[in-house]
Amino acid sequence: MAIERTLILIKPDGVQRGIVGDIIGRFERTGMKIVGMKLMKMSDELASQHYKDHVGKGFYAGLVKFMTSSPLVALAVEGPKAVENCRKLMGKTFCTDAQAGTIRGDFGVSRGLNLVHGSDSAESAQRELGLFFQANELQEYSRAVDAWTWNDEDKG
Ligand code: DAT
Ligand code: MG
């Protein structure tokens, strides 16, 4: 099935800079559906689980310090090819490399302060959503516009 769910984090820099609404709007206006959302502080423990593939890398300590320094917003986003689509909207990892029109390209100028996280595969999405949301925190609901937003062809 091509309708997927993915984890998006609006990182502490996005919250501190007051652009949470702008960033959520980028995802919302595509038609993808927000099915989970919370403002929370990332613990060291959660950081090590979430970034398990980066543990031991040179940038890991700085990354964890940044991610645990202040609240972030976690979102569960649903839609056709949501994982890939969200990554496309985010742009390349470092804002300095990200194209204009992407979230990182339009809102950031830094390498590490790159505003958003998005899961990089369906498997990561499933794992990461489980770290940030209990099953009962993810909402199943229909919208009046769903029929005008995606159709059977998109469901694959
Ligand atoms: P992405 O966030 O685009 O999935 P990633 O998973 O490779 O990128 O890395 C996770 C975060 O770690 C990334 O958003 C910023 C930081 N990071 C990655 N590579 C880095 C590097 N070489 N130097 C500094 N920070 C880095
Ligand atoms: Mg990544």
Side-chain angles (χ1 to χ4, degrees):
M1 182 163 103
I3 306 295
E4 300 174 328
R5 286 181 170 183
T6 189
L7 177 78
I8 297 297
L9 301 176
I10 302 177
K11 297 185 179 185
D13 53 336
V15 177
Q16 288 284 340
R17 289 180 51 206
I19 53 174
V20 169
D22 293 295
I23 295 174
I24 292 179
R26 292 293 180 105
F27 296 105
E28 266 188 318
R29 73 187 191 187
T30 65
M32 288 188 290
K33 189 188 293 187
I34 296 171
V35 294
M37 176 156 64
K38 63 169 81 164
L39 178 75
M40 59 179 282
K41 197 92 174 278
M42 186 186 248
S43 65
D44 285 339
E45 166 72 12
L46 178 56
S48 66
Q49 293 173 316
H50 176 67
Y51 282 126
K52 73 174 178 56
D53 294 340
H54 296 313
V55 173
K57 294 186 184 168
F59 61 84
Y60 181 73
L63 175 62
V64 172
K65 190 167 179 220
F66 163 50
M67 292 297 293
T68 59
S69 63
S70 185
L72 53 75
V73 174
L75 298 163
V77 175
E78 182 181 282
K81 289 187 159 190
V83 171
E84 189 185 328
N85 197 27
C86 287
R87 297 280 298 187
K88 184 184 70 186
L89 294 170
M90 289 161 50
K92 288 191 181 165
T93 298
F94 299 135
C95 300
T96 43
D97 301 329
Q99 285 202 319
T102 65
I103 294 166
R104 286 165 168 167
D106 286 354
F107 294 111
V109 289
S110 167
R111 279 160 59 87
L113 304 177
N114 64 356
L115 299 161
V116 272
H117 165 83
S119 309
D120 63 9
S121 67
E123 296 70 41
S124 311
Q126 202 174 2
R127 187 182 78 82
E128 294 173 2
L129 283 167
L131 293 175
F132 286 83
F133 292 99
Q134 304 286 330
N136 66 4
E137 293 175 318
L138 296 175
Q139 306 298 327
E140 197 96 35
Y141 64 102
S142 3
R143 302 170 301 186
V145 295
D146 278 347
W148 295 98
T149 309
W150 63 66
N151 59 25
D152 287 346
E153 244 176 75
D154 300 305
K155 291 180 188 163

